């Protein structure tokens, strides 16, 4: 990433503060989580959707790096629990990365995703967010496409031959499956864990976003997530 994680989170903190000051009387805006099969265009769907809805976009790398910094995640969630203003001193230098047990990592990951969802108006990519935020706390979306379509997409996007593209898909999805099983004991891409499944091979990115927007509009008022505490 061209910007440091501190700069990214500082910008987000400023957005949250402005939103709270200007729109205190408005209900919490929805949250959309986007999970995806590799090569199905889920990242494009998430980015386009965030732009169309005027939502903040949190990709997997940002969430991962914030969650790994226990110092920062504690400050972010602590400020929410105390209902204080968002302060830029949240963004003191991120602690050097150190080992976290699976239980500790999931705890901090849940706090980060919960803090994002608490403010609403966000599209969150990956990192098991659809499992952290339960039914009614977010619209949980899975983006899919047939394997052959995904192979072609990976070949074009990553400049790989067909065999390498297939291996790449298997490798990425094995990593995602292992992550969800390790931290959530959940099967990768289990459709029962989602509110909406969109097929980009049929709908395209634009059609998938239109379907998600329609679902967002029909969702009942979403409850704010509980902040995870020890």
């Amino acid at each position: 990433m061209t910007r440091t994680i501190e700069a990214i989170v500082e910008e987000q903190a400023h957005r949250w503060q402005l939103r709270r000051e200007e729109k205190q009387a408005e209900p919490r805006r929805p949250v959309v989580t986007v999970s995806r099969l590799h090569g199905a265009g889920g990242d494009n769907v998430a980015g386009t959707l965030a732009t169309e809805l005027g939502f903040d976009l949190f990709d997997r790398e940002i969430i991962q790096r914030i969650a790994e910094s226990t110092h920062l995640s504690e400050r972010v969630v602590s400020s929410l629990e105390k209902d204080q203003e968002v302060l830029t001193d949240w963004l003191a230098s991120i602690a050097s990365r150190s080992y976290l047990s699976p239980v500790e990592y999931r705890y901090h990951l849940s706090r980060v995703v919960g803090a994002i969802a608490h403010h609403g108006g966000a599209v969150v990519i990956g990192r098991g967010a659809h499992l952290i935020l339960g039914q009614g706390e977010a619209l949980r979306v899975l983006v899919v496409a047939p394997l052959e379509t995904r192979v072609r997409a990976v070949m074009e996007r990553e400049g790989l031959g067909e065999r390498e593209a297939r291996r790449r898909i298997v490798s990425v999805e094995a990593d995602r499956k292992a992550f969800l099983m390790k931290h959530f004991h959940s099967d990768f891409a289990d459709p029962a864990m989602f509110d909406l499944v969109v097929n980009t091979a049929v709908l395209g990115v634009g059609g998938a976003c239109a379907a998600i927007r329609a679902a967002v509009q029909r969702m009942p008022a979403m409850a704010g997530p509980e902040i995870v505490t020890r």
Side-chain angles (χ1 to χ4, degrees):
M1 291 182 289
T2 56
R3 292 182 295 163
T4 66
I5 194 68
E6 293 96 330
I8 292 171
V9 180
E10 181 173 5
E11 179 181 312
Q12 186 61 40
H14 181 63
R15 289 178 183 172
W16 281 347
Q17 181 168 343
L18 289 177
R19 187 177 302 158
R20 184 164 57 240
E21 291 173 350
E22 296 174 359
K23 301 182 178 182
Q24 288 183 352
E26 294 186 7
R28 188 180 68 90
R29 297 194 298 170
V31 176
V32 180
T33 70
V34 177
S35 303
R36 66 268 184 249
L37 300 183
H38 190 59
D43 287 17
N44 290 339
V45 169
T48 301
L49 182 69
T51 298
E52 292 176 349
L53 292 175
F55 283 8
D56 300 318
L57 177 66
F58 293 88
D59 69 29
R60 58 200 178 281
E61 288 87 358
I62 293 174
I63 296 171
Q64 171 84 9
R65 290 178 63 183
I66 294 175
E68 286 175 347
S69 169
T70 60
H71 175 67
L72 183 58
S73 64
E74 289 287 342
R75 283 175 174 268
V76 170
V77 181
S78 175
S79 68
L80 290 175
E81 290 171 345
K82 296 176 182 178
D83 198 28
Q84 297 174 345
E85 292 184 354
V86 178
L87 302 175
T88 56
D89 67 359
W90 283 2
L91 310 163
S93 298
I94 288 188
S96 59
R97 179 174 175 176
S98 58
Y99 173 77
L100 291 177
S101 71
V103 172
E104 291 172 324
Y105 175 75
R106 178 176 174 177
Y107 166 73
H108 289 288
L109 176 64
S110 297
R111 286 169 68 86
V112 170
V113 173
I116 292 169
H118 178 87
H119 286 282
V123 176
V124 183
I125 302 177
R127 292 294 95 184
H130 68 292
L131 298 171
I132 296 171
L133 302 176
Q135 184 176 12
E137 294 179 347
L139 178 68
R140 302 165 300 176
V141 177
L142 175 63
V143 181
V144 304
L147 177 59
E148 296 306 317
T149 300
R150 294 188 286 125
V151 169
R152 290 193 297 270
V154 171
M155 289 172 62
E156 180 178 348
R157 185 182 66 206
E158 302 183 23
L160 300 176
E162 181 179 352
R163 179 177 296 180
E164 290 76 15
R166 290 182 184 274
R167 288 177 177 172
R168 175 65 174 161
I169 289 172
V170 170
S171 175
V172 170
E173 294 187 351
D175 288 344
R176 291 176 182 170
K177 181 176 182 179
F179 174 85
L180 292 181
M181 186 59 65
K182 176 180 181 180
H183 294 289
F184 300 98
H185 307 291
S186 177
D187 187 23
F188 173 63
D190 177 1
M193 303 306 298
F194 298 92
D195 304 308
L196 179 67
V197 179
V198 292
N199 187 334
T200 52
V202 176
L203 300 173
V205 171
C209 289
I212 297 169
R213 291 199 314 272
V216 168
Q217 292 172 356
R218 295 183 66 86
M219 288 287 287
M222 295 184 182
E226 294 183 3
I227 300 298
V228 177
T229 57
R230 290 193 184 277

